[in-house]
Amino acid sequence: MLHAPVLPPLRKRKRPLALHPAGPHPVRFQEVTVYLVERKMGFSRRAFLTGLARTKGFRVADDLSDEVTHVVAEQNSAEELWAWLRGRGLRDLTNRLVLDIAWFTESMAAGWPVAVETRHCIQEKQPVVKPCLPTAPVWAVSQYACQRRTTTENHNKVFTDAFDILAENAEFCENDGPCLAFMRAASVLKSLPGAVHRLSDLHGVPCLGDQTRAVIEEILESGISSKVQDIVNDDRYQTLKLFTSVFGVGPKTAEKWYRKGFRSFPDIHADQSVHLNKMQKAGFLYYDDISKSISKAEAEAVGRMVEDIVRSIVPDAIVALTGGFRREKEFGHDVDFLITTPEAGKEQGLLSRVLDQLKYQDVLLFCDSQESTYDRTKLPSYRFEAMDHFQKCFLIVRLQDELVRGEVGRGGGQPRGWKAVRVDLVVPPTECHAFALLGWSGSRQFERDLRRFAQRERKMLLDNHGLYDKTKKEFLTAETEEDIFAHLGLEFIEPGQRNA
Ligand code: DCT
Ligand code: MG
């Protein structure tokens, strides 16, 4: 049998690549630089595809350099192609996607770079299969959480716990940049299908800078990070963590109390000058219950209670569980619900009737209700707003033990027979249902990256209200979450895989 020859180096062409007739085009996808391998594809087809891609806003490099992110080849064997790539003198091959032409044609059809899937990748045959990251080719991890599948199973908790603490501490210090960097590092590590055993396992994994890699290295060597140790032993961190664990207390208030010299809850209560708002009063009153996590069985019990009430008012209303429990988490800090009605307008007045009913049943312990400020004519919003405009309420409800199924002896021996539980109810207008469901399902990092991806890669604005295409200058409608992923040219990610 004849062995296929190693690819010869690209011959230098005298002829320049044909410019597309329409002339230079603005680059729409900053993250992507394509290089088309000429061998087997041929000179004229390569020139044609180059022009086509450029008219669609893709950056296509004439030469293979370190700037190239997507190497695209047609009908080349993996062996030949990789041998050729190795001889190109590139800095780091693991950071590059080496893809079949299928990815390119699908991207041309979509009008943007479609999400890279394993089937697109021309994989180098490796003699030894790495035991720690068995399924994902390490270099195919996206920098966007919305292009990664992250279940509740975290193989790298030892690192992600450290990064969670570093991120929280950075937030307390109002260091937004480092805070985001640590959150991204934690998020990307949560998505890996196996545990990291050595730094080289992280080849091609994005979102990890020198600082974060140094933390990982120290944990790999000694089991702990000295930086994290210093933070958890720090008086200010401990105090702010304690104070922000109270419902209604954010980092600003916590910092104010810390500066007044308070270090414990009794310190706060003993000071006459402290004025607690309604939410904080409830936060302290029910602290023992609501600082404990809520189980899935408890969340389901709350769900039945809310659904019974909503359906007694509008029989065909939909009560959708969102937040962490929709992402299949076993525990959460609250239970989030979205209430919508199939018929537009039927949601008017529904929430206040639900609250009346909760009061009547004597289960409403606290309620902070916010009216809708949703105004279609004021959309799209160009600046990110922390909270959407839907009608909503933040509640504490009394959950009777007997409503919770399948949990024997719950309540930790408390004789009173109920537990205070934090519940959020959100009522978007029918037309926003899919966007609100996607937004309230989280995780926060998944949502952040969906918006970043939409903005940077698609020139679209996404929030809990809708999706706006800045190029077409129009809103894109969606009835389901699947519709939104499709508009964004993203593979659909199930809620259980959004635990970024
Ligand atoms: N969310 C949002 N806008 C907000 C607050 C939250 O779009 N202002 C989204 C992001 C996550 C989701 O709603 C639910 O929020 P949380 O309950 O805070 O998060 P969670 O993922 O449900 O976590 P937990 O399990 O701790 O409740
Ligand atoms: Mg929640």
Side-chain angles (χ1 to χ4, degrees):
M1 202 182 86
L2 276 175
H3 283 277
V6 169
L7 285 184
L10 262 182
R11 265 175 290 139
K12 283 256 179 317
R13 294 264 174 189
K14 296 238 166 57
R15 280 179 287 161
L17 279 180
L19 259 185
H20 200 268
H25 294 272
V27 173
R28 289 175 61 209
F29 315 109
Q30 298 297 339
E31 299 295 309
V32 175
T33 301
V34 178
Y35 174 79
L36 295 162
V37 177
E38 184 177 325
R39 190 178 185 269
K40 297 266 168 92
M41 185 181 283
F43 176 80
S44 51
R45 178 163 161 78
R46 178 173 185 251
F48 169 76
L49 295 178
T50 299
L52 176 71
R54 285 179 182 159
T55 59
K56 290 185 185 278
F58 285 71
R59 186 189 290 120
V60 186
D62 291 332
D63 300 309
L64 184 56
S65 68
D66 284 312
E67 273 65 61
V68 171
T69 56
H70 294 54
V71 176
V72 175
E74 189 167 37
Q75 292 180 352
N76 282 276
S77 79
E79 199 186 356
E80 287 176 338
L81 185 65
W82 276 92
W84 177 75
L85 283 170
R86 294 215 171 283
R88 297 302 93 206
L90 294 174
R91 239 186 289 132
D92 185 6
L93 269 178
T94 55
N95 273 331
R96 241 157 293 272
L97 293 160
V98 181
L99 306 172
D100 182 69
I101 192 75
W103 173 83
F104 183 88
T105 44
E106 285 167 32
S107 298
M108 291 306 108
W112 54 61
V114 296
V116 171
E117 295 172 35
T118 314
R119 68 184 170 86
H120 293 131
C121 299
I122 302 178
Q123 299 202 38
E124 185 179 24
K125 290 199 181 54
Q126 292 190 339
V128 188
V129 177
K130 288 192 177 180
C132 52
L133 301 170
T135 52
V138 282
W139 32 264
V141 180
S142 169
Q143 63 144 315
Y144 295 107
C146 55
Q147 288 186 308
R148 305 191 292 255
R149 295 179 186 273
T150 314
T151 64
T152 53
E153 197 180 359
N154 178 1
H155 301 281
N156 290 290
K157 200 168 178 314
V158 59
F159 308 110
T160 60
D161 282 352
F163 287 129
D164 287 343
I165 292 167
L166 287 162
E168 192 176 31
N169 185 58
E171 188 192 358
F172 290 158
C173 300
E174 293 182 65
N175 288 336
D176 296 348
C179 177
L180 195 59
F182 290 132
M183 287 194 293
R184 284 199 185 140
S187 173
V188 78
L189 291 174
K190 282 180 192 169
S191 77
L192 297 182
V196 170
H197 295 297
R198 57 196 88 79
L199 264 192
S200 60
D201 292 341
L202 294 168
H203 260 311
V205 176
C207 314
L208 301 172
D210 291 346
Q211 269 205 49
T212 48
R213 279 180 198 266
V215 172
I216 295 171
E217 191 168 16
E218 201 188 345
I219 296 175
L220 283 170
E221 277 167 11
S222 62
I224 53 163
S225 148
S226 50
K227 235 179 174 174
V228 173
Q229 279 305 102
D230 290 347
I231 293 171
V232 294
N233 291 326
D234 177 54
D235 176 53
R236 179 170 175 273
Y237 172 80
Q238 287 177 1
T239 310
L240 295 192
K241 182 142 181 82
L242 175 71
F243 292 171
T244 53
S245 72
V246 179
F247 177 50
V249 180
K252 290 238 154 58
T253 307
E255 174 75 34
K256 195 172 77 191
W257 290 346
Y258 177 77
R259 289 209 183 152
K260 283 185 168 222
F262 306 156
R263 296 294 180 267
S264 66
F265 294 162
D267 290 349
I268 299 165
H269 298 312
D271 193 301
Q272 300 294 315
S273 71
V274 172
H275 174 77
L276 298 176
N277 65 29
K278 208 177 88 166
M279 198 178 255
Q280 292 160 349
K281 278 182 192 153
F284 280 114
L285 187 57
Y286 301 108
Y287 185 81
D288 287 346
D289 278 7
I290 61 182
S291 60
K292 283 191 204 108
S293 51
I294 301 166
S295 71
K296 204 174 176 172
E298 288 168 335
E300 283 163 0
V302 177
R304 287 189 292 272
M305 183 164 89
V306 173
E307 190 163 80
D308 283 351
I309 294 175
V310 171
R311 292 274 178 87
S312 72
I313 303 165
V314 178
D316 64 350
I318 301 155
V319 179
L321 180 67
T322 63
F325 288 109
R326 182 162 185 247
R327 301 196 310 274
E328 298 171 18
K329 274 175 58 175
E330 291 294 324
F331 295 96
H333 93 285
D334 67 357
V335 201
D336 308 286
F337 296 99
L338 210 65
I339 303 171
T340 35
T341 54
E343 200 182 323
K346 275 271 172 83
E347 75 279 358
Q348 298 285 334
L350 176 56
L351 189 58
S352 63
R353 292 182 66 189
V354 171
L355 296 176
D356 285 346
Q357 193 57 33
L358 284 168
K359 266 181 231 156
Y360 178 73
Q361 293 183 6
D362 196 26
V363 292
L364 195 60
L365 302 173
F366 169 82
C367 171
D368 175 31
S369 187
Q370 300 186 355
E371 280 313 310
S372 166
T373 50
Y374 174 73
D375 180 353
R376 256 198 82 110
T377 62
K378 297 226 171 91
L379 298 176
S381 168
Y382 280 83
R383 74 191 164 89
F384 174 68
E385 291 164 280
M387 192 49 87
D388 60 46
H389 292 275
F390 304 134
Q391 188 186 23
K392 62 177 77 66
C393 59
F394 308 109
L395 312 177
I396 299 175
V397 302
R398 183 202 308 272
L399 177 64
Q400 292 296 144
D401 284 356
E402 63 270 18
L403 297 178
V404 184
R405 291 181 192 154
E407 280 194 5
V408 187
R410 46 184 305 286
Q414 284 182 44
R416 65 178 189 199
W418 59 272
K419 177 181 173 181
V421 176
R422 273 271 302 112
V423 176
D424 290 346
L425 304 180
V426 186
V427 190
T430 313
E431 76 215 39
C432 300
H433 173 78
F435 296 101
L437 181 63
L438 180 60
W440 276 89
S441 294
S443 69
R444 281 167 196 265
Q445 193 58 34
F446 191 88
E447 302 302 325
R448 243 181 239 124
D449 276 7
L450 262 177
R451 290 191 296 267
R452 193 163 64 96
F453 177 87
Q455 167 85 279
R456 291 177 56 171
E457 305 296 331
R458 302 289 183 256
K459 305 281 174 281
M460 292 182 187
L461 297 170
L462 173 73
D463 60 19
N464 288 2
H465 315 101
L467 180 63
Y468 182 74
D469 187 326
K470 292 201 284 181
T471 314
K472 294 184 186 157
K473 294 192 171 53
E474 67 181 27
F475 285 98
L476 306 175
T477 59
E479 278 184 21
T480 62
E481 286 184 329
E482 281 85 344
D483 293 343
I484 304 170
F485 281 85
H487 283 315
L488 291 168
L490 283 171
E491 251 184 276
F492 182 68
I493 309 276
E494 297 287 346
Q497 298 180 325
R498 298 181 202 160
N499 288 287

Coordinates of all heavy atoms in Angstrom, one line a residue, residues 353-410:
R353 N -53.6 39.0 42.7 CA -54.6 38.0 43.2 C -53.9 36.8 43.8 O -54.4 36.2 44.8 CB -55.6 37.6 42.1 CG -56.5 38.8 41.6 CD -57.5 38.4 40.6 NE -58.4 37.4 41.0 CZ -59.3 36.7 40.2 NH1 -59.3 37.0 38.9 NH2 -60.1 35.8 40.7
V354 N -52.8 36.4 43.2 CA -52.0 35.3 43.8 C -51.5 35.7 45.2 O -51.6 34.9 46.1 CB -50.8 34.9 42.9 CG1 -49.9 33.9 43.5 CG2 -51.3 34.4 41.5
L355 N -51.0 36.9 45.3 CA -50.5 37.4 46.6 C -51.7 37.4 47.7 O -51.5 37.0 48.8 CB -49.9 38.7 46.5 CG -48.6 38.7 45.6 CD1 -48.0 40.1 45.5 CD2 -47.5 37.8 46.2
D356 N -52.9 37.9 47.2 CA -54.0 37.9 48.1 C -54.3 36.5 48.6 O -54.6 36.3 49.8 CB -55.3 38.4 47.4 CG -55.2 39.9 47.2 OD1 -54.4 40.6 47.8 OD2 -56.0 40.5 46.3
Q357 N -54.3 35.6 47.7 CA -54.6 34.2 48.1 C -53.5 33.6 49.1 O -53.9 32.9 50.0 CB -54.6 33.3 46.8 CG -55.2 32.0 46.9 CD -56.7 32.0 47.5 OE1 -57.4 32.9 47.3 NE2 -57.0 31.0 48.3
L358 N -52.3 33.9 48.8 CA -51.2 33.5 49.7 C -51.4 34.1 51.1 O -51.2 33.4 52.1 CB -49.8 33.9 49.2 CG -49.3 33.1 48.0 CD1 -48.0 33.8 47.4 CD2 -48.9 31.6 48.5
K359 N -51.8 35.4 51.2 CA -52.1 36.0 52.4 C -53.3 35.3 53.1 O -53.3 35.0 54.3 CB -52.5 37.5 52.2 CG -51.4 38.4 52.3 CD -51.8 39.9 52.1 CE -50.9 40.5 51.1 NZ -51.6 41.7 50.4
Y360 N -54.3 35.0 52.3 CA -55.5 34.4 52.8 C -55.2 33.0 53.5 O -55.8 32.7 54.5 CB -56.6 34.3 51.7 CG -57.8 33.6 52.1 CD1 -58.8 34.3 52.9 CD2 -58.1 32.3 51.7 CE1 -60.0 33.6 53.3 CE2 -59.3 31.6 52.1 CZ -60.2 32.3 52.8 OH -61.3 31.7 53.2
Q361 N -54.3 32.3 52.8 CA -53.9 31.0 53.3 C -52.9 31.1 54.5 O -52.4 30.1 55.0 CB -53.3 30.2 52.2 CG -54.3 29.8 51.1 CD -53.7 28.9 50.1 OE1 -52.5 28.4 50.2 NE2 -54.4 28.6 49.0
D362 N -52.6 32.4 54.9 CA -51.7 32.7 56.0 C -50.3 32.1 55.7 O -49.6 31.6 56.7 CB -52.3 32.2 57.3 CG -51.5 32.8 58.5 OD1 -51.0 33.9 58.3 OD2 -51.5 32.1 59.5
V363 N -49.8 32.1 54.5 CA -48.4 31.6 54.2 C -47.5 32.7 53.8 O -46.3 32.4 53.6 CB -48.4 30.4 53.2 CG1 -49.1 29.2 53.8 CG2 -49.0 30.8 51.9
L364 N -48.0 33.9 53.6 CA -47.1 35.0 53.1 C -46.4 35.7 54.3 O -47.1 36.4 55.1 CB -48.0 36.0 52.3 CG -47.2 36.9 51.5 CD1 -46.3 36.2 50.4 CD2 -48.1 37.9 50.8
L365 N -45.1 35.4 54.5 CA -44.4 36.0 55.6 C -43.8 37.3 55.2 O -43.6 38.2 56.1 CB -43.3 35.0 56.0 CG -43.8 33.6 56.5 CD1 -42.6 32.7 56.7 CD2 -44.7 33.7 57.7
F366 N -43.4 37.5 54.0 CA -42.8 38.7 53.5 C -43.1 38.9 52.0 O -43.1 37.9 51.3 CB -41.3 38.8 53.7 CG -40.6 39.9 53.0 CD1 -40.6 41.2 53.6 CD2 -40.0 39.8 51.8 CE1 -40.0 42.2 53.0 CE2 -39.4 40.8 51.1 CZ -39.4 42.1 51.7
C367 N -43.3 40.2 51.6 CA -43.6 40.4 50.2 C -43.0 41.7 49.7 O -43.4 42.8 50.3 CB -45.1 40.3 49.9 SG -45.5 40.8 48.2
D368 N -42.1 41.7 48.7 CA -41.7 43.0 48.1 C -42.1 42.8 46.7 O -41.6 42.0 45.9 CB -40.2 43.1 48.2 CG -39.7 44.3 47.4 OD1 -40.4 45.3 47.3 OD2 -38.6 44.3 46.9
S369 N -43.2 43.7 46.3 CA -43.8 43.5 45.0 C -43.4 44.7 44.1 O -43.4 45.8 44.6 CB -45.3 43.5 45.3 OG -46.0 43.2 44.1
Q370 N -43.1 44.4 42.9 CA -42.7 45.5 41.9 C -43.6 45.5 40.7 O -43.7 44.4 40.1 CB -41.2 45.3 41.5 CG -40.3 45.3 42.7 CD -38.8 45.2 42.2 OE1 -38.5 45.1 41.0 NE2 -37.9 45.3 43.2
E371 N -44.1 46.6 40.4 CA -45.0 46.7 39.3 C -44.2 46.7 38.0 O -43.0 46.9 38.0 CB -45.8 48.1 39.3 CG -47.0 48.0 40.3 CD -47.9 46.8 40.1 OE1 -48.2 46.5 38.9 OE2 -48.2 46.2 41.1
S372 N -44.9 46.4 36.9 CA -44.2 46.3 35.6 C -43.8 47.7 35.1 O -44.5 48.6 35.3 CB -45.1 45.6 34.6 OG -44.6 45.9 33.3
T373 N -42.5 47.8 34.6 CA -42.1 49.1 34.0 C -41.8 48.8 32.5 O -41.0 49.5 31.9 CB -40.9 49.7 34.7 OG1 -39.9 48.6 34.8 CG2 -41.2 50.2 36.1
Y374 N -42.3 47.6 32.1 CA -42.1 47.2 30.7 C -42.7 48.1 29.7 O -43.9 48.4 29.8 CB -42.6 45.8 30.5 CG -42.5 45.2 29.1 CD1 -41.3 44.9 28.6 CD2 -43.6 45.1 28.3 CE1 -41.2 44.3 27.3 CE2 -43.6 44.5 27.0 CZ -42.3 44.2 26.5 OH -42.3 43.7 25.3
D375 N -41.9 48.6 28.7 CA -42.5 49.5 27.7 C -41.8 49.2 26.4 O -40.6 49.5 26.2 CB -42.2 51.0 28.1 CG -42.7 52.0 27.1 OD1 -43.2 51.6 26.1 OD2 -42.6 53.2 27.4
R376 N -42.5 48.5 25.5 CA -42.0 48.1 24.3 C -41.3 49.2 23.5 O -40.3 49.0 22.8 CB -43.1 47.5 23.4 CG -43.2 46.0 23.4 CD -44.0 45.6 22.2 NE -43.2 45.6 21.0 CZ -42.8 44.5 20.3 NH1 -43.2 43.4 20.7 NH2 -42.1 44.7 19.2
T377 N -41.9 50.4 23.6 CA -41.3 51.5 22.7 C -40.0 51.9 23.2 O -39.3 52.6 22.5 CB -42.3 52.7 22.8 OG1 -42.4 53.2 24.1 CG2 -43.7 52.3 22.3
K378 N -39.6 51.5 24.5 CA -38.3 52.0 25.0 C -37.2 50.9 24.7 O -36.1 51.0 25.2 CB -38.4 52.2 26.5 CG -39.3 53.3 26.8 CD -38.7 54.3 27.9 CE -39.6 55.5 28.1 NZ -40.5 55.4 29.1
L379 N -37.6 49.9 24.0 CA -36.6 48.8 23.6 C -36.0 49.0 22.2 O -36.7 49.6 21.4 CB -37.3 47.4 23.7 CG -37.8 47.1 25.1 CD1 -38.5 45.7 25.0 CD2 -36.7 47.0 26.1
P380 N -34.8 48.5 21.9 CA -34.0 47.8 22.8 C -33.2 48.7 23.7 O -33.0 49.9 23.4 CB -33.0 47.1 21.8 CG -32.9 48.1 20.7 CD -34.2 48.7 20.6
S381 N -32.8 48.1 24.8 CA -31.9 48.9 25.8 C -30.5 48.6 25.4 O -30.0 47.5 25.3 CB -32.2 48.4 27.2 OG -31.3 48.9 28.0
Y382 N -29.7 49.7 25.2 CA -28.3 49.5 24.8 C -27.4 49.3 26.0 O -26.3 48.9 25.9 CB -27.8 50.7 23.9 CG -28.3 50.6 22.5 CD1 -29.6 51.0 22.1 CD2 -27.5 50.0 21.6 CE1 -30.0 50.8 20.8 CE2 -27.9 49.8 20.2 CZ -29.1 50.3 19.9 OH -29.5 50.1 18.6
R383 N -27.9 49.7 27.2 CA -27.0 49.5 28.3 C -27.6 48.3 29.1 O -28.8 48.2 29.2 CB -26.8 50.7 29.2 CG -28.0 51.1 30.0 CD -27.9 52.5 30.6 NE -29.3 52.9 31.0 CZ -29.8 52.6 32.2 NH1 -29.1 52.0 33.1 NH2 -31.0 53.0 32.5
F384 N -26.7 47.6 29.7 CA -27.2 46.4 30.5 C -27.8 46.8 31.8 O -27.3 47.7 32.5 CB -26.0 45.4 30.8 CG -26.5 44.3 31.7 CD1 -27.4 43.4 31.2 CD2 -26.1 44.3 33.0 CE1 -27.9 42.4 32.0 CE2 -26.6 43.3 33.8 CZ -27.4 42.3 33.3
E385 N -29.0 46.3 32.0 CA -29.7 46.7 33.3 C -29.7 45.4 34.2 O -30.0 44.3 33.7 CB -31.1 47.2 33.0 CG -31.1 48.5 32.4 CD -32.4 48.9 31.7 OE1 -32.7 48.4 30.6 OE2 -33.2 49.6 32.3
A386 N -29.4 45.6 35.5 CA -29.3 44.5 36.4 C -30.6 43.7 36.5 O -30.7 42.5 36.7 CB -28.8 44.9 37.7
M387 N -31.7 44.5 36.4 CA -33.0 43.9 36.6 C -34.0 44.1 35.4 O -33.9 45.2 34.9 CB -33.6 44.5 37.9 CG -34.8 43.7 38.5 SD -34.7 42.0 38.6 CE -33.9 41.8 40.2
D388 N -34.8 43.2 35.1 CA -35.7 43.4 34.0 C -36.9 44.2 34.4 O -37.0 44.5 35.6 CB -36.1 42.0 33.3 CG -36.8 41.1 34.3 OD1 -37.7 41.6 35.0 OD2 -36.4 39.9 34.3
H389 N -37.8 44.5 33.4 CA -38.9 45.4 33.7 C -40.2 44.7 34.0 O -41.2 45.3 34.1 CB -39.1 46.3 32.5 CG -38.0 47.3 32.3 ND1 -37.9 48.5 33.0 CD2 -36.8 47.2 31.6 CE1 -36.8 49.1 32.7 NE2 -36.1 48.4 31.8
F390 N -40.2 43.4 34.2 CA -41.4 42.7 34.4 C -42.0 42.9 35.8 O -41.2 43.2 36.7 CB -41.2 41.2 34.2 CG -40.6 40.9 32.8 CD1 -39.6 40.0 32.7 CD2 -41.1 41.5 31.7 CE1 -39.1 39.7 31.4 CE2 -40.6 41.2 30.4 CZ -39.6 40.3 30.3
Q391 N -43.3 42.6 35.9 CA -43.9 42.6 37.2 C -43.4 41.4 38.0 O -43.3 40.3 37.4 CB -45.4 42.5 37.0 CG -46.2 42.7 38.3 CD -47.7 42.4 38.1 OE1 -48.1 41.7 37.2 NE2 -48.5 43.0 39.0
K392 N -43.0 41.6 39.2 CA -42.4 40.5 40.0 C -42.6 40.7 41.5 O -42.9 41.9 41.9 CB -41.0 40.3 39.6 CG -40.1 41.5 39.9 CD -38.6 41.2 39.6 CE -38.3 41.2 38.1 NZ -38.4 42.6 37.5
C393 N -42.3 39.7 42.2 CA -42.3 39.9 43.7 C -41.3 38.9 44.3 O -41.1 37.8 43.8 CB -43.7 39.7 44.3 SG -44.4 38.1 43.9
F394 N -40.7 39.4 45.3 CA -39.7 38.6 46.1 C -40.4 38.3 47.4 O -40.8 39.2 48.2 CB -38.4 39.4 46.3 CG -37.8 40.0 45.1 CD1 -37.9 41.4 44.8 CD2 -37.3 39.2 44.1 CE1 -37.3 41.9 43.6 CE2 -36.7 39.7 42.9 CZ -36.8 41.0 42.7
L395 N -40.5 37.0 47.7 CA -41.4 36.6 48.8 C -40.6 35.7 49.8 O -39.6 35.1 49.5 CB -42.5 35.7 48.3 CG -43.4 36.2 47.2 CD1 -44.4 35.2 46.8 CD2 -44.0 37.6 47.5
I396 N -41.1 35.7 51.0 CA -40.8 34.6 51.9 C -42.1 34.0 52.3 O -43.1 34.6 52.7 CB -40.1 35.1 53.2 CG1 -38.8 35.9 52.8 CG2 -39.8 34.0 54.2 CD1 -38.1 36.5 54.1
V397 N -42.2 32.7 52.0 CA -43.5 32.0 52.3 C -43.2 30.9 53.4 O -42.1 30.4 53.6 CB -44.1 31.3 51.1 CG1 -44.3 32.4 50.0 CG2 -43.2 30.2 50.5
R398 N -44.3 30.6 54.0 CA -44.3 29.5 55.0 C -44.6 28.2 54.3 O -45.7 28.0 53.8 CB -45.4 29.8 56.1 CG -45.5 28.8 57.2 CD -46.9 28.8 57.9 NE -47.3 30.2 58.2 CZ -47.1 30.8 59.4 NH1 -46.4 30.1 60.3 NH2 -47.5 32.0 59.6
L399 N -43.7 27.3 54.4 CA -43.9 26.0 53.7 C -44.1 24.9 54.8 O -43.2 24.6 55.6 CB -42.7 25.6 52.9 CG -42.7 24.2 52.2 CD1 -43.9 24.1 51.2 CD2 -41.4 23.8 51.5
Q400 N -45.3 24.4 54.8 CA -45.7 23.4 55.8 C -45.0 22.1 55.6 O -44.9 21.6 54.4 CB -47.2 23.1 55.8 CG -48.1 24.3 56.3 CD -47.8 24.7 57.8 OE1 -47.9 25.8 58.1 NE2 -47.6 23.7 58.6
D401 N -44.5 21.4 56.6 CA -43.7 20.2 56.4 C -44.5 19.1 55.7 O -44.0 18.4 54.8 CB -43.3 19.6 57.8 CG -42.2 20.4 58.4 OD1 -41.6 21.3 57.7 OD2 -41.8 20.1 59.6
E402 N -45.8 19.1 55.9 CA -46.6 17.9 55.4 C -46.8 18.1 53.9 O -47.2 17.1 53.2 CB -48.0 17.8 56.1 CG -48.9 18.9 56.0 CD -48.7 20.0 57.1 OE1 -47.7 19.9 57.8 OE2 -49.6 20.8 57.3
L403 N -46.5 19.3 53.3 CA -46.6 19.5 51.9 C -45.4 18.9 51.1 O -45.5 18.7 49.9 CB -46.8 20.9 51.5 CG -48.0 21.7 52.0 CD1 -47.9 23.1 51.7 CD2 -49.3 21.0 51.5
V404 N -44.3 18.6 51.9 CA -43.1 18.2 51.2 C -43.1 16.7 51.1 O -43.3 16.0 52.2 CB -41.9 18.7 52.0 CG1 -40.6 18.2 51.3 CG2 -41.9 20.2 52.2
R405 N -43.0 16.2 49.9 CA -43.1 14.7 49.7 C -41.7 14.0 49.8 O -40.7 14.6 49.3 CB -43.7 14.4 48.4 CG -45.2 14.8 48.3 CD -45.7 14.4 46.9 NE -47.0 15.0 46.8 CZ -47.6 15.3 45.6 NH1 -46.9 15.1 44.5 NH2 -48.8 15.9 45.5
G406 N -41.7 12.9 50.4 CA -40.5 12.0 50.4 C -39.4 12.5 51.3 O -38.3 12.0 51.0
E407 N -39.6 13.4 52.2 CA -38.5 13.7 53.1 C -38.9 13.4 54.5 O -39.7 14.1 55.1 CB -38.2 15.2 52.9 CG -37.3 15.4 51.7 CD -36.6 16.8 51.8 OE1 -36.8 17.6 52.7 OE2 -36.0 17.2 50.8
V408 N -38.4 12.4 55.1 CA -38.7 11.9 56.4 C -37.9 12.7 57.4 O -36.7 13.0 57.2 CB -38.5 10.4 56.6 CG1 -39.0 9.9 57.9 CG2 -39.1 9.7 55.4
G409 N -38.6 13.2 58.5 CA -37.9 13.8 59.6 C -37.2 15.1 59.2 O -36.2 15.5 59.7
R410 N -37.9 15.9 58.3 CA -37.2 17.2 57.9 C -37.5 18.3 59.0 O -38.2 18.0 59.9 CB -37.7 17.7 56.6 CG -39.2 17.6 56.3 CD -39.5 18.0 54.9 NE -38.9 19.4 54.6 CZ -39.4 20.5 55.0 NH1 -40.5 20.5 55.8 NH2 -38.9 21.6 54.7

